[in-house]
Amino acid sequence: MRTARPRTGHLSQLGARRQRAERSHARPAHAHAGAARRLDGGRRLLLARVVAAALALLGAWLPASAAHAAGTVTIADRSPKEDDGRWKLKMTINYGGAPHLAHIPMLFAFTPTVHYERALTDQSPEKPILNKIPLQNQQGINESMDVGFSDGSGKIFAITKFDFILRRDRGFEAGEYDLVIKRASDGVQMGQKQKITLQGDNAIIDRRAIVFTGEKKKKKDDKADKADKADAEKSDEPADDEAGEPASDAADAEPSSAELPPDEAPPPVSPKQGGCGCRLAPDEAAAPFALPLVALGAAVALARRRRA
């Protein structure tokens, strides 16, 4: 058997929607008021939290900024020129109030950031060129000075003018630096970090390539050849008349052996004899004729002895 099903069409759906709408409108007015109150309360709570966070951040930043920098420092010329190996910085320091001492010890820290190099290169071998070399993690140059805030009468002021001298013998060179000034007593920074540029001429660095050539040796050889040629030309020139006259006098003063008279001529040398090769004197040459006489006398004397 077929069961009858209720017919639900478009009209029935509209009726259901109307019933739900009527039920919602039928809610009491105090329910709507409570929802609105809860919404307003959530917004106010969120706004209060944002304001509290902002105040907390502002309160934390103000003491930090006050401890980070106190007073102000103004430099008249941040790019001074070198004068006899020195640079002068003219400063105006505002302490932010009258200091408790007439002279405040301060630390001036200069950190090099860019070095100005003057170099000779193959492209510019005669005139040096300027190379700006960036520097990182460089050790700063610290200078301690007492800054006076009083006059001759002893009155203390909050603002003073101070001249700081930088010298090459203290390690400064032409280039760019970051300057930070701090109080030596508590380390509080005076003013903000400032960038200064020291203008000047650093020592020249030769960066030209080394080339080994024999031009100098050739020049020396040419000079030696010229000197040899000059000496040869001098030797080929005829002797002067003054130089020739003494030579003729010397020839006349010393006659040859052929021109000597017979008496002054050296005795002739006897020809070499056989034997030991020794030459005998005239007395020794007569010895062979006397030997038989000596032998005869010796024989007569011996005969007489035997007879006796």
Side-chain angles (χ1 to χ4, degrees), residues 12 18 52 55 70 79 134-135 143 174 177 190 221 238 248 264 282 308:
S12 62
R18 288 177 181 176
L55 292 176
S79 300
L135 304 176
E143 296 286 344
Y177 296 81
M190 299 295 299
D221 295 341
S248 60
E264 297 180 0

Side-chain angles (χ1 to χ4, degrees), residues 50-70:
V50 171
V51 172
L55 292 176
L57 292 175
L58 182 61
W61 178 77
L62 286 177
S65 62
H68 180 69

Side-chain angles (χ1 to χ4, degrees), residues 108-112 139-143 170-173 177:
F108 297 79
F110 297 85
T111 303
Q139 185 176 2
I141 303 175
N142 299 328
E143 296 286 344
R170 299 289 295 178
F172 290 95
E173 294 182 345
Y177 296 81

Side-chain angles (χ1 to χ4, degrees), residues 17-257:
R17 290 178 180 176
R18 288 177 181 176
Q19 291 178 0
R20 287 196 295 270
E22 291 176 356
R23 290 176 184 176
S24 62
H25 289 293
R27 291 179 181 177
H30 62 84
H32 293 282
R37 290 173 184 174
R38 286 195 296 271
L39 181 59
D40 294 340
R43 291 178 179 176
R44 291 176 182 176
L45 181 61
L46 179 61
L47 181 60
R49 289 179 179 178
V50 171
V51 172
L55 292 176
L57 292 175
L58 182 61
W61 178 77
L62 286 177
S65 62
H68 180 69
T72 59
V73 178
T74 304
I75 301 178
D77 186 7
R78 296 187 182 182
S79 300
K81 295 183 179 180
E82 183 179 4
D83 183 13
D84 194 16
R86 300 183 302 173
W87 295 270
K88 180 183 289 187
L89 298 178
K90 298 181 178 180
M91 305 180 183
T92 300
I93 301 177
N94 186 349
Y95 196 78
H100 61 287
L101 295 175
H103 295 81
I104 303 299
M106 293 187 181
L107 180 66
F108 297 79
F110 297 85
T111 303
T113 57
V114 178
H115 178 68
Y116 289 175
E117 178 188 78
R118 299 172 64 230
L120 295 175
T121 60
D122 295 336
Q123 292 76 16
S124 179
E126 300 297 335
K127 184 178 180 181
I129 62 175
L130 179 62
N131 297 325
K132 296 183 178 181
I133 303 176
L135 304 176
Q136 295 180 357
N137 302 325
Q138 297 295 315
Q139 185 176 2
I141 303 175
N142 299 328
E143 296 286 344
S144 299
M145 296 291 293
D146 292 341
V147 181
F149 288 87
S150 63
D151 57 4
S153 62
K155 185 178 179 180
I156 298 177
F157 300 90
I159 301 175
T160 184
K161 291 186 177 180
F162 181 73
D163 295 344
F164 194 90
I165 305 298
L166 308 178
R167 300 192 303 270
R168 283 188 178 270
D169 55 3
R170 299 289 295 178
F172 290 95
E173 294 182 345
E176 300 177 7
Y177 296 81
D178 287 339
L179 172 60
V180 176
I181 305 174
K182 295 181 179 180
R183 291 196 303 234
S185 59
D186 52 5
V188 175
Q189 180 174 327
M190 299 295 299
Q192 301 297 326
K193 179 172 66 174
Q194 302 190 44
K195 181 179 180 179
I196 63 173
T197 301
L198 304 182
Q199 299 183 11
D201 296 334
N202 292 329
I204 299 176
I205 300 177
D206 192 352
R207 296 193 178 280
R208 294 175 295 181
I210 301 175
V211 179
F212 297 95
T213 58
E215 295 180 357
K216 294 184 178 179
K217 187 175 181 181
K218 290 181 180 179
K219 291 181 179 179
K220 292 182 179 179
D221 295 341
D222 295 341
K223 291 182 179 179
D225 295 340
K226 291 180 180 179
D228 295 340
K229 290 180 180 179
D231 295 339
E233 292 176 357
K234 290 181 180 179
S235 60
D236 294 339
E237 293 179 358
D240 297 339
D241 297 338
E242 296 179 357
E245 291 178 358
S248 60
D249 296 341
D252 297 339
E254 297 180 359
S256 60
S257 59

